[in-house]
Amino acid sequence: MEGEKKKLKKVLSKFDLLFLALGAMLGWGWVVLSGTWLTSAGSYGAVLAFAIGGFLVICVGLNYAELASAMPRVGGEHEYVHRALGENASFVASWAITLGYVSVATFEAVALPTVIDYLLPDYQAGYLWTIAGWDVHLNWVLIGSAGAVIITLINYIGLKQAAVLQTVFTLVIVAAGLLLIFGAGMNGEPAHLTPHFIGGMGGIMTVLVMVPFLFVGFDVIPQVAEEANLPHAQIGKFLVISVIGAIIFYIAIAIGVSLGMSQEQLGSTELATADAMGNLFGSALFAKLLILGGVAGIITSWNSFVIGGSRVLYAMSESGMLPAWFGRLHPKFHTPSNAIIFIGILSMLAPLLGRSALVWIVDAGGLGIVVAYFLVAWSFIKLRKTEPEMKRPFRAAKSPVYGYLALILSFGFIALYLPGMPAALIWPYEWIMIAAWFFIGLFFFMRMRKGVYKDSGVGM
């Protein structure tokens, strides 16, 4: 397998890495979910949720930054947890983060036709069925599925091509966001910031549980660290820079949308960020411009998580945790082609669930993400104790304080998803998604324990 691993080429520059992570974290959520943030928690409540969640992400990000610089191998957390906690824990962390990556890829496949809803109202035709009160139409599904085919093909033919696409569209997102922020500064109405808080801590927690989903993306950098052509210390630095940039962006968007729309308007809009832009500039044309930024976000986020998810599946296959099929490298393009196809197929199927699936996917994927973060933090702490002499080109403080903070905060986030909490997963839809992923993973886990996949010629 060593010979095959060398075929993963070092094609990514430092700017490729930065835009890969930043584009992944910004995505489409800031366009479609901002109204939910503000009606759930209020303007200051949403900002506070992002500040708290952002602190978690910085702590976790520092863990990743150190570990990525020390072990720049494909698979990221798969490698860190395997080295610190062993094979079983590595499987759990890898399968959990793959749920997060797949959830984003499938989310974008549902988000794409949602954009068309805004641009071309009442275009839908070919009624299929109704799920959770929302009618699913054939042409709506085909738009999302066609987008999945295109993104899958781009990643199939090469990482560098995907990285170039990422850079261009991330710049479009930033431009659209800056235009909204400029409009809010010039024409925003401070009275719209009230009520500052809605729902107390329950409202803040409702936004908090979305934060892991919205910020997942910086950890794509460790997934492709083996394919990065730059010093290992810089891998960690660019990871931290990308996280800080995303936190600033989300808080600025929350304030900008608050200044652009009243609570009454927020309650009746489908895409609050776009409508806020239209209000701030007094023209529907500006709303459409922001939608273009949103489309760019769909593409960047989708692209990143096909990249990240396919590399985790590839690494799991190499380690004998999944069938050899997932570990195949394309002989010409040097990409984990089968793993890319697998995520692409799931993305193509997601629109069949309709637009109601957007929130379900966010919450279910968020749980998988924080479980992986918890295990990475635990690994960070253990490796500081068991391998203090390990070469760490990027070091997150002298003490493992950020590891302990990430561990505590990740555990707290996991608790938010559990029954009885104000932000618990929705029954039955979100729990069905979690259960399905769990049982598929359990099947692979039991076969891994029996050595089935190592016996088939896959292994470390």
Side-chain angles (χ1 to χ4, degrees), residues 98-386:
T98 302
L99 171 61
Y101 291 161
V102 168
S103 72
V104 179
T106 53
F107 173 91
E108 305 304 357
V110 178
L112 182 59
T114 302
V115 177
I116 308 302
D117 281 345
Y118 188 91
L119 297 174
L120 299 172
D122 304 320
Y123 78 97
Q124 298 183 26
Y127 172 79
L128 296 176
W129 46 69
T130 300
I131 297 180
W134 201 84
D135 295 339
V136 182
H137 291 83
L138 179 61
N139 61 347
W140 194 91
V141 170
L142 290 176
I143 289 170
S145 297
V149 170
I150 294 169
I151 294 294
T152 301
L153 284 174
I154 290 170
N155 278 275
Y156 189 89
I157 64 174
L159 179 59
K160 186 62 179 180
Q161 290 86 338
V164 171
L165 175 81
Q166 189 79 0
T167 298
V168 172
F169 282 98
T170 299
L171 291 172
V172 174
I173 299 171
V174 172
L178 289 174
L179 188 59
L180 172 71
I181 294 163
F182 173 77
M186 295 294 293
N187 304 316
E189 179 53 65
H192 288 168
L193 292 172
T194 56
H196 297 148
F197 293 93
I198 297 173
M201 280 306 300
I204 292 172
M205 284 193 288
T206 299
V207 180
L208 263 179
V209 296
M210 297 182 184
V211 168
F213 177 89
L214 293 168
F215 279 90
V216 67
F218 68 85
D219 43 316
V220 171
I221 289 180
Q223 306 304 339
V224 297
E226 193 171 321
E227 298 162 89
N229 188 24
L230 69 160
H232 296 164
Q234 289 192 22
I235 294 174
K237 290 177 182 178
F238 277 97
L239 190 153
V240 174
I241 291 169
S242 70
V243 170
I244 293 172
I247 292 170
I248 294 170
F249 184 89
Y250 275 116
I251 289 176
I253 292 299
I255 294 173
V257 174
S258 292
L259 290 169
M261 299 189 78
S262 66
Q263 276 293 320
E264 291 74 17
Q265 291 171 318
L266 286 169
S268 60
T269 180
E270 292 187 4
L271 292 177
T273 313
D275 288 336
M277 176 82 102
N279 287 353
L280 289 167
F281 287 96
S283 170
L285 174 63
F286 282 87
K288 299 253 189 313
L289 286 175
L290 190 127
I291 289 292
L292 292 178
V295 172
I298 291 174
I299 294 168
T300 59
S301 187
W302 205 340
N303 188 48
S304 291
F305 292 108
V306 172
I307 292 171
S310 62
R311 269 63 182 178
V312 178
L313 292 171
Y314 170 78
M316 292 179 76
S317 178
E318 281 199 309
S319 300
M321 296 180 181
L322 292 178
W325 185 85
F326 287 99
R328 178 182 182 271
L329 282 175
H330 193 281
K332 177 180 179 182
F333 303 126
H334 309 285
T335 56
S337 50
N338 288 350
I340 290 169
I341 290 170
F342 173 74
I343 297 175
I345 290 171
L346 293 178
S347 298
M348 291 174 215
L349 295 175
L352 294 169
L353 296 174
R355 200 171 75 192
S356 301
L358 283 172
V359 175
W360 307 338
I361 292 169
V362 169
D363 293 345
L367 177 58
I369 292 161
V370 292
V371 167
Y373 287 174
F374 178 84
L375 290 169
V376 168
W378 186 359
S379 300
F380 175 91
I381 294 166
K382 185 168 183 181
L383 287 171
R384 278 289 187 98
K385 291 180 179 179
T386 59

